[in-house]
Amino acid sequence: MQQSYNFPADTAVLAKIGELVANAGRSAGFDDIEIGDIQLALDEVCTNTIIHGLKSDHSKKFQLVIQWNQGEIEILIHESGEPFDPMDLDDPNLENLLEGPSAGGLGLYFLRELMDEADFRIGRDGVKTWRIVKRKA
Amino acid sequence: MKIEENILNDVSRVSLEGRFDADTCDTVEAFIRERIEKGRSQFVLNMENVPFISSAGLRVVIIIARELRNEYQGDLHISALQPTVNKVFEISGLNNVLRIFDDAEDATLGFSK
Ligand SMILES: Nc1ncnc2c1ncn2[C@@H]1O[C@H](COP(=O)(O)OP(=O)(O)OP(=O)(O)O)[C@@H](O)[C@H]1O
Ligand SMILES: [Mg+2]
């Protein structure tokens, strides 16, 4: 199964995206905890896409593609806003969350922890794509 | 996001209903900050009716807890986490630095101990 959507860069769409991916995850046979993992990972990518990539400009859009089979879900998020390289980032300091200078940087950490695959590329046309995959254990 | 406040023994219990994400985190932060400005420093954040939290929600929890501890000798107690939300507190390590209670009553009593 495959579904494709376009959403405006508005955090108000996050709840809807959470519902869509939960339905897909359920059809693919994931349990509630696994669906929670997938929802969080996708929410983090979409939040970054909306806020960092597209600067919450409601006139800009990003594309979401959700595809699944029994026991596996693959999600693609395409966006052409601010360029960035996730390799440049450090891990968050989990020991000192309450002391550290900033409280950020958890989003991509969750993504790596919760999904079986999470990769990022920038096409020659400047389109940034995240691809995240989860399989049933 | 629906937010409600009940005050018990000088502890402000803030109960959330809905997703705690990038879309709603500012509302929660502003709500608590308003009460801090009025002189409150002991808070329970009751999450019984929060089915989802993202890093944006956690960031508000971190910032408020840090401020209450460092500047007001207060604290933010967390209560009634649903299983998927609890998992997010665990993988972030926040469960090691915040006081998390099974229900709002315990979290409120936690201030008198
Ligand atoms: N789609 C994107 N476009 C541009 N920059 C991005 C994008 N996604 C992430 N980034 C950059 O990567 C950084 C790390 O992202 P991450 O989600 O881990 O943390 P955060 O968004 O800063 O904070 P948090 O997610 O914990 O609230 C961001 O601060 C931002 O600079
Ligand atoms: Mg983020």
Side-chain angles (χ1 to χ4, degrees), chain A residues 11 37 43-44 97-98 100, chain B residues 19 23 55 66 69 87 92:
Chain A
T11 53
D37 293 349
D43 187 280
E44 297 296 347
L97 275 181
L98 286 185
Chain B
R19 290 166 49 92
D23 195 46
S55 63
R66 184 195 288 170
R69 286 180 183 183
K87 181 170 179 186
S92 69

Side-chain angles (χ1 to χ4, degrees), chain B residues 3-59:
Chain B
I3 313 180
E4 239 181 55
E5 185 191 34
N6 291 292
I7 294 167
L8 276 147
N9 307 332
D10 231 27
V11 176
S12 165
R13 183 188 295 175
V14 177
S15 298
L16 308 182
E17 186 179 332
R19 290 166 49 92
F20 194 179
D21 65 6
D23 195 46
T24 59
C25 61
D26 291 348
T27 316
V28 178
E29 182 171 359
F31 187 97
I32 299 177
R33 216 165 267 295
E34 216 174 273
R35 271 102 195 136
I36 296 175
E37 272 155 30
K38 286 188 193 140
R40 303 238 158 255
S41 60
Q42 301 186 318
F43 289 85
V44 169
L45 192 63
N46 183 29
M47 308 243 282
E48 196 177 341
N49 295 309
V50 174
F52 178 84
I53 188 166
S54 69
S55 63
L58 285 185
R59 182 206 301 273

Side-chain angles (χ1 to χ4, degrees), chain A residues 11-12 14-15 32-33 36-37 39-40 43-44 47 51 94 97-98 100-104 106-107 109-110 114, chain B residues 19 21-23 52-56 58-59 62-63 65-66 69-70 83-84 87-88 91-94 97-98:
Chain A
T11 53
L14 293 168
D32 287 349
I33 289 284
D37 293 349
Q39 281 182 308
L40 179 59
D43 187 280
E44 297 296 347
T47 298
I51 294 176
L94 294 184
L97 275 181
L98 286 185
S102 86
L106 285 171
Y109 169 76
F110 288 161
L114 298 173
Chain B
R19 290 166 49 92
D21 65 6
D23 195 46
F52 178 84
I53 188 166
S54 69
S55 63
L58 285 185
R59 182 206 301 273
I62 293 168
I63 288 172
R66 184 195 288 170
R69 286 180 183 183
N70 296 348
T84 49
K87 181 170 179 186
V88 183
I91 53 175
S92 69
L94 262 192
V97 285
L98 293 175

Side-chain angles (χ1 to χ4, degrees), chain A residues 44 48 52-53 79 82 84 89 104-108 128, chain B residues 55 59:
Chain A
E44 297 296 347
N48 285 348
H52 303 305
E79 164 231 327
E82 287 296 305
F84 100 112
L89 301 166
L106 285 171
L108 294 180
K128 300 184 277 180
Chain B
S55 63
R59 182 206 301 273

Side-chain angles (χ1 to χ4, degrees), chain A residues 15 27 49 56 58 72 82 94 99 108 110 125 134:
Chain A
S27 316
T49 294
S56 297
H58 295 8
E72 174 169 315
E82 287 296 305
L94 294 184
E99 277 85 40
L108 294 180
F110 288 161
D125 51 5
K134 194 167 180 77

Side-chain angles (χ1 to χ4, degrees), chain A residues 3-7 16 20 62-66:
Chain A
Q3 295 170 340
S4 176
Y5 307 88
N6 282 293
F7 288 104
K16 179 72 193 170
L20 290 170
F62 63 97
Q63 192 195 2
L64 174 67
V65 180
I66 307 176

